[in-house]
């Protein structure tokens, strides 16, 4: 690929001019004020840049050694403080915006194939080392604006950091499989402008633009402004998707080594004929009809509107101390009216039972965090002390009314739409059932990294967490139930790192995670309260950055045990009609992962990852099943997953050719139905056109029909996308 020479050092410093396209949608006053103020500020920066004489920096060259120069990451903040991945005693993967661009990635689902041990579950959820995981972090903080059933977009994301295994020390409650942290794009010191025009089949059309650079001549204040719009009519019947993002940020250099960054982002997703469920299958995993089938009417929809505001201050104190603090607030509202499939009509293998759901999900959350590191010499050994604290408060409400009687069924072989248009009006006569959930999290941690020698490091950390959960349910405004729960927990992490040479890191670690029990399970009549679900992992591995980063090979083996899963205890009689619970559930996940990124030649790069996982129920009450499991197996947890991508560029013609693929082995759905294995391939061509380049990409080259994941026998499997074409014209100045 041919790009401006400012990108040679491994970062595309040219961001984009913001074209904020609302597509007729209403823009709130706060959004408009934010956008307008940053736009005014941007004008002097462009005027200043425009007056400069052309320089050699605009000359085009072919970037070679992509693994070494573009994909290699020298540090990550997945552990809250900046750290070399070679010094982290757990498996870490970082996927940056350079790889997004090379692969044409648009949302989170496009990058899963690059991450060993991660596969698609549903919507924004993944299977992570065998466990279902729906939680995401932004810039190290809670506050995911893509609530419910929307998938995170990558337009304003600089890199995706993945910490595998328990992350309780840094992030508090969560799944033991790992966490995903999205790191936002921020204002940069170099002036840059980038625009992208997109087209493709299924009536895909889009435009996005970004701009960044200094506002004043000294570069004390910098800005970033971006806008994204894309619409498409996907392959599922009746569907249409429109997505818009407006993003703005200002960074102020407050002192030597210190910077304050302020950011605001608005998201607007309009999804017609959603919320999309799957397509029904038989027990062997064969679709019972065309994958275009959709239980939703054309008038059904899912709309998400959300906003996120963030402030982050980071500074160095001398040459041995760093400090950062952040605040993040988001509010989101997901409105959905849709037809939910409920399995086949008894005695008729062609008709699907449906119900109509009218749901509103407003969510808002506020989080704070602070972190400090200090390097101190004690008894001839360097200690890197790291301490931090975080606090999060979230209110999540679900208003739901469900119409079950009189909803017309839908044929699988010959669906006739339009006969259920009156369902929304009839559902509007029903009272809402409201579930109001309040969640509070606060915690503090301390870690010490001891350099015994230049080659041997020891790591030990401890964290304390306090959490408060409460749920109130009501129907028609009358409260029908209340439950609350407060508890605390302590988690630990320890590890050792040995570097026989600077580019090889051998490590072993033990880490913990925990998850509060559901507030509804803390009823005293049921035997509550109960201690949190815990996760413990033992992991060992090797990380390498050989030949100055041209060969990055990592391998890890792990064993995770998850305990204290609450289940009904059949040996105890009910109290006041409520079954007695006991923490008698246990799950064991074990496996290994291999990741390879290498420059085979200066013009040829290869990425390969493989993950093996075996997750089983190792403790349960007889005749019962742990959530997300069937028998002793976990749903959507493949034993084998392979992903690869290779890119070869021909400098003489300024063109790069790429091929990628993914294989996921057999799985089972939540209902125990087979989810058949699949292998798919993609390809792309990137051509330089001076200040522009063109990307042509085809996904699922052979148009394979497959299930990306399984769900239930009532709503079917989620089909994978058929063959799709994408073209991007990228302009960069």
């Amino acid at each position: 690929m041919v790009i401006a020479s400012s990108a040679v050092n491994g970062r595309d410093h040219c961001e984009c001019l913001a074209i904020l396209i609302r597509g007729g949608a209403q823009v709130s006053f706060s959004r408009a004020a934010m956008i307008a103020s940053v736009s005014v500020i941007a004008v002097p920066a462009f005027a200043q840049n425009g007056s400069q004489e052309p320089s050699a920096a605009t000359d085009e060259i072919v970037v070679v050694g992509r693994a070494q120069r573009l994909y290699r990451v020298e540090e990550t903040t997945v552990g809250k403080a900046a750290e070399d991945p070679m010094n982290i005693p757990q498996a870490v993967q970082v996927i940056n915006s350079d790889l997004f661009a090379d692969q044409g990635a648009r949302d989170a689902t496009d990058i899963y194939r690059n991450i060993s041990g991660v596969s698609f579950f549903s919507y924004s959820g993944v299977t992570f080392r065998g466990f279902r995981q729906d939680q995401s972090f932004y810039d190290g903080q809670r506050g995911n604006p893509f609530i419910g059933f929307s998938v995170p977009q990558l337009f304003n994301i600089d890199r995706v950091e993945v910490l595998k295994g328990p992350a309780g020390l840094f992030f508090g409650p969560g799944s033991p499989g790992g966490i995903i942290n999205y790191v936002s794009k921020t204002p940069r010191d170099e002036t840059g402008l980038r625009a992208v025009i997109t087209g493709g089949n299924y009536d895909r059309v889009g435009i996005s633009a970004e701009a960044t650079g200094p506002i004043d001549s000294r570069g004390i204040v910098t800005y970033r402004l971006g806008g994204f719009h894309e619409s498409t009519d996907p392959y599922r019947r009746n569907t249409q998707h429109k997505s818009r993002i407006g993003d703005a940020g200002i960074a102020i250099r407050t002192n030597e080594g210190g910077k304050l960054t302020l950011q605001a982002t608005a998201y607007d997703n309009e999804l017609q004929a959603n919320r999309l469920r799957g397509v029904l299958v038989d027990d062997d995993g064969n679709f019972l009809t065309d994958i275009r089938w959709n239980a939703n009417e054309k008038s059904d929809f899912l709309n998400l509107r959300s906003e996120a505001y963030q402030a982050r201050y980071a500074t160095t104190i001398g040459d041995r101390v760093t400090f950062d603090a952040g605040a993040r607030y988001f509010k989101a509202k997901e409105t959905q009216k849709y037809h939910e499939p409920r399995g086949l009509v008894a005695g008729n293998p062609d008709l699907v039972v449906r119900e109509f759901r009218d749901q509103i999900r407003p969510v808002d959350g506020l989080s704070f965090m602070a972190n400090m590191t200090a390097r101190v010499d004690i008894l001839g050994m360097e200690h890197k002390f790291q301490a931090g604290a975080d606090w999060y408060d979230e209110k999540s409400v679900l208003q739901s009314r469900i119409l079950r009687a009189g909803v017309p069924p839908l044929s699988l072989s010959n669906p006739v739409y339009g006969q259920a248009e009156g369902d929304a009006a009839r559902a509007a006569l029903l009272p809402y059932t409201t579930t109001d959930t309040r969640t509070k999290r606060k915690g503090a941690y301390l870690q010490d990294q001891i350099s015994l020698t230049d080659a041997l490091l020891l790591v030990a950390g401890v964290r304390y967490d306090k959490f408060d959960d409460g749920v109130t349910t009501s129907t028609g405004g009358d409260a029908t139930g209340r439950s609350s729960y407060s508890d605390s927990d302590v988690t630990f992490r320890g590890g050792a790192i040995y570097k026989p040479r600077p580019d090889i890191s051998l490590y072993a670690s033990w880490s913990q995670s925990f998850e509060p029990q559901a507030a509804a399970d803390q009823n005293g009549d049921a035997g509550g309260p109960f201690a949190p679900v815990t996760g413990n992992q033992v992991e060992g591995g090797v990380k390498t950055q050989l030949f100055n980063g041209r060969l990055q090979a990592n391998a890890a083996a792990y064993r995770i045990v998850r305990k204290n899963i609450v289940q009904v205890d059949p040996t105890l009689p009910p109290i006041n009609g409520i079954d007695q619970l006991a923490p008698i559930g246990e799950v064991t996940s074990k496996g290994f992962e291999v990741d390879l990124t290498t420059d085979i030649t200066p013009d040829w790069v290869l990425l390969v990852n493989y993950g093996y996982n075996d997750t089983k129920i190792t403790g349960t009450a007889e005749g019962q099943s742990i959530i997300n499991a069937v028998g002793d197996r976990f749903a959507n947890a493949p034993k084998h997953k392979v992903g690869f991508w290779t890119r070869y560029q021909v400098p003489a013609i300024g063109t790069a050719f790429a091929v990628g693929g993914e294989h996921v082995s057999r799985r089972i759905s939540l209902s125990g139905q087979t989810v058949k294995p699949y292998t798919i391939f993609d390809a792309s061509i990137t051509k330089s056109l001076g200040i522009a380049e063109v990307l042509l990409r085809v996904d699922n080259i052979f148009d394979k029909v497959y299930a990306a994941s399984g769900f239930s026998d009532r709503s079917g499997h989620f089909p994978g996308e058929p063959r799709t074409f994408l073209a991007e014209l990228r302009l960069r100045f």
Side-chain angles (χ1 to χ4, degrees):
M1 181 177 73
V2 178
I3 66 176
S5 60
S6 60
V8 172
N9 292 327
R11 287 290 183 271
D12 177 6
H13 299 309
C14 303
E15 304 293 329
C16 341
L17 169 66
I19 302 174
L20 298 175
I21 301 176
R22 301 300 300 171
Q26 294 297 315
V27 183
S28 69
F29 177 82
S30 60
R31 293 185 190 177
M34 176 270 291
I35 292 168
S37 63
V38 179
S39 299
V40 171
I41 292 172
V43 173
F46 281 112
Q48 175 188 359
N49 185 62
S51 65
Q52 296 175 353
E53 293 294 323
S55 68
T58 61
D59 293 341
E60 296 172 5
I61 65 170
V62 176
V63 174
V64 296
R66 306 189 80 78
Q68 177 189 17
R69 307 174 79 171
L70 293 187
Y71 306 155
R72 184 179 177 184
V73 177
E74 300 291 345
E75 66 178 27
T76 174
T77 56
V78 75
K80 292 295 182 77
E83 183 62 89
D84 185 341
M86 301 284 281
N87 293 338
I88 298 176
Q90 281 181 247
V92 175
Q93 277 188 260
V94 180
I95 303 169
N96 60 25
S97 56
D98 295 308
L99 188 54
F100 298 166
D102 278 359
Q103 294 187 339
R106 316 192 71 71
D107 62 43
T109 61
D110 291 328
I111 63 173
Y112 294 155
R113 69 175 54 184
N114 297 310
I115 308 171
S116 60
V118 170
S119 56
F120 177 70
F121 195 108
S122 63
Y123 308 107
S124 61
V126 297
T127 299
F128 211 142
R129 286 189 169 179
F131 299 109
R132 185 175 182 176
Q133 207 266 45
D134 297 296
Q135 201 173 60
S136 298
F137 292 81
Y138 279 73
D139 300 301
Q141 296 184 260
R142 296 179 188 271
N144 181 8
F146 293 95
I147 63 170
F149 305 93
S150 299
V151 178
Q153 305 292 305
L154 300 176
F155 166 70
N156 60 321
I157 299 301
D158 182 65
R159 65 182 185 274
V160 176
E161 301 177 330
V162 181
L163 178 62
K164 301 181 181 181
L169 179 70
F170 299 117
F171 294 94
S175 167
I179 66 101
I180 297 177
N181 181 45
Y182 294 92
V183 179
S184 304
K185 292 179 180 178
T186 56
R188 298 192 177 182
D189 296 332
E190 303 87 354
T191 297
L193 171 62
R194 182 174 186 256
V196 179
I197 300 172
T198 304
N201 61 338
Y202 300 111
D203 294 325
R204 181 189 296 272
V205 61
I207 185 170
S208 66
E210 302 171 81
T212 190
I215 292 176
D216 62 297
S217 59
R218 297 172 58 193
I220 294 176
V221 181
T222 55
Y223 78 97
R224 179 181 181 276
L225 188 62
F228 172 91
H229 169 84
E230 186 169 283
S231 67
T232 182
D233 299 341
Y235 65 98
R236 300 288 294 273
R237 288 192 173 102
N238 298 328
T239 56
Q240 183 183 71
H241 292 179
K242 294 181 179 180
S243 178
R244 308 175 187 94
I245 302 173
D247 185 50
I250 292 178
I252 305 169
R253 195 169 69 232
T254 57
N255 57 284
E256 187 66 31
K259 182 179 288 188
L260 173 66
T261 304
L262 306 174
Q263 293 175 272
T265 309
Y267 304 90
D268 189 351
N269 286 354
E270 296 181 8
L271 310 180
Q272 178 181 295
N274 274 255
R275 164 175 95 183
L276 274 178
R277 291 299 198 182
V279 176
L280 271 64
V281 300
D282 61 24
D283 288 343
D284 293 326
N286 301 303
F287 288 112
L288 297 180
T289 187
D290 191 288
I291 62 171
R292 295 177 299 164
W293 188 88
N294 185 1
N296 288 303
E297 300 286 329
K298 194 171 184 177
S299 57
D300 293 348
F301 64 87
L302 183 155
N303 294 337
L304 170 71
R305 288 178 172 84
S306 60
E307 300 174 0
Y309 303 92
Q310 185 169 287
R312 184 76 177 267
Y313 175 69
T315 188
T316 57
I317 305 172
D319 60 355
R320 312 210 83 187
V321 178
T322 65
F323 172 80
D324 71 272
R328 180 178 175 84
Y329 171 75
F330 85 100
K331 62 178 180 179
K333 185 176 182 180
E334 189 177 72
T335 305
Q336 50 188 13
K337 295 184 179 183
Y338 70 102
H339 284 81
E340 171 83 1
R342 303 297 290 169
L344 294 171
V345 172
N348 190 328
D350 185 59
L351 287 182
V352 176
V353 178
R354 295 188 298 172
E355 62 185 33
F356 181 78
R357 297 183 179 182
D358 181 348
Q359 298 179 335
I360 304 173
R361 300 170 183 267
V363 180
D364 64 85
L366 176 64
S367 65
F368 297 97
M369 75 170 183
N371 307 279
M372 176 175 283
T373 65
R375 298 182 182 274
V376 181
D377 293 326
I378 301 176
L379 300 178
M381 296 178 293
E382 183 182 76
H383 293 248
K384 180 183 177 182
F385 290 105
Q386 182 178 334
D390 47 71
W391 179 92
Y392 182 63
D393 189 351
E394 179 184 284
K395 176 183 178 181
S396 176
V397 178
L398 169 61
Q399 296 175 285
S400 177
R401 47 193 179 194
I402 301 176
L403 179 67
R404 294 186 172 92
V407 179
L410 191 68
S411 169
L412 286 172
S413 61
N414 184 31
V416 178
Y417 296 97
Q419 300 180 16
E421 294 296 331
D423 291 346
R426 291 192 295 125
L429 301 176
L430 301 174
Y432 275 117
T433 296
T434 302
T435 303
D436 187 335
T437 304
R438 307 296 176 94
T439 300
K440 292 184 179 180
R441 302 281 186 268
K442 50 188 175 184
Y445 71 91
L446 174 65
Q447 177 179 275
D448 185 14
Q449 182 187 94
I450 308 171
S451 299
L452 296 179
T453 68
D454 291 340
L456 181 60
L457 286 73
L458 299 181
V459 176
V462 60
R463 179 184 173 100
Y464 170 81
D465 278 281
K466 176 76 167 59
F467 48 89
D468 299 277
D469 294 334
V471 179
T472 300
T473 57
S474 60
T475 301
D478 298 325
T480 56
R482 287 188 175 90
S483 60
S484 61
Y485 179 54
S486 298
D487 201 355
S488 59
D489 202 8
V490 177
T491 50
F492 298 91
R493 177 177 185 246
I497 301 164
Y498 175 65
K499 295 182 176 180
R501 44 188 282 179
D503 53 6
I504 298 177
S505 176
L506 308 173
Y507 70 91
S509 65
W510 174 75
S511 53
Q512 291 184 309
S513 70
F514 79 96
E515 301 159 85
Q517 303 284 1
D521 291 338
Q522 304 305 326
N523 192 317
D525 288 344
F530 298 101
V533 179
T534 61
N536 298 274
Q537 174 184 267
V538 176
E539 179 180 322
V542 57
K543 304 176 184 179
T544 68
Q545 294 184 346
L546 302 173
F547 309 111
N548 195 30
R550 291 193 297 274
L551 173 61
Q552 304 166 36
N554 305 320
Y558 60 88
R559 182 176 185 268
I560 303 172
V561 179
R562 198 178 194 182
K563 296 183 177 180
N564 291 345
I565 300 173
V566 172
Q567 296 183 270
V568 174
D569 189 339
T571 66
L572 299 176
I575 296 178
N576 297 326
I578 298 177
D579 289 331
Q580 293 292 283
L581 304 176
I584 50 181
E586 180 184 280
V587 181
T588 299
S589 169
K590 53 187 177 181
F592 64 89
E593 299 157 352
V594 178
D595 299 280
L596 173 69
T597 302
T598 183
D599 291 319
I600 300 174
T601 72
D603 295 310
W604 186 9
V605 67
L606 172 68
L607 284 73
V608 180
N609 69 82
Y610 169 73
Y612 169 82
N613 175 264
D614 186 18
T615 302
K616 288 185 177 180
I617 311 300
T618 50
T620 186
E622 185 176 353
Q624 292 189 50
S625 179
I626 291 172
I627 188 171
N628 292 327
V630 179
D632 68 345
R633 310 300 304 186
F634 260 57
N636 286 319
K639 277 195 172 183
H640 307 277
K641 186 236 173 183
V642 180
F644 81 92
W645 184 75
T646 184
R647 180 184 191 277
Y648 183 78
Q649 61 187 15
V650 184
I653 58 174
T655 304
F657 304 89
V659 177
E662 179 182 36
H663 170 77
V664 178
S665 65
R666 178 187 179 276
R667 294 157 289 167
I668 59 172
S669 73
L670 292 166
S671 300
Q673 293 178 308
T674 293
V675 184
K676 300 170 72 172
Y678 70 84
T679 304
I680 56 173
F681 298 94
D682 310 320
S684 69
I685 299 175
T686 305
K687 169 65 176 175
S688 171
L689 300 173
I691 64 169
E693 66 183 21
V694 173
L695 169 72
L696 302 176
R697 191 183 85 192
V698 56
D699 294 335
N700 193 359
I701 296 174
F702 302 108
D703 203 19
K704 181 178 179 60
V705 175
Y706 70 100
S709 73
F711 205 67
S712 70
D713 54 1
R714 289 184 171 185
S715 58
H717 291 359
F718 291 103
E721 284 195 349
R723 182 166 52 225
T724 58
F725 299 92
L726 172 72
E728 285 189 348
L729 174 62
R730 302 166 176 171
L731 304 170
R732 185 179 288 117
F733 305 94

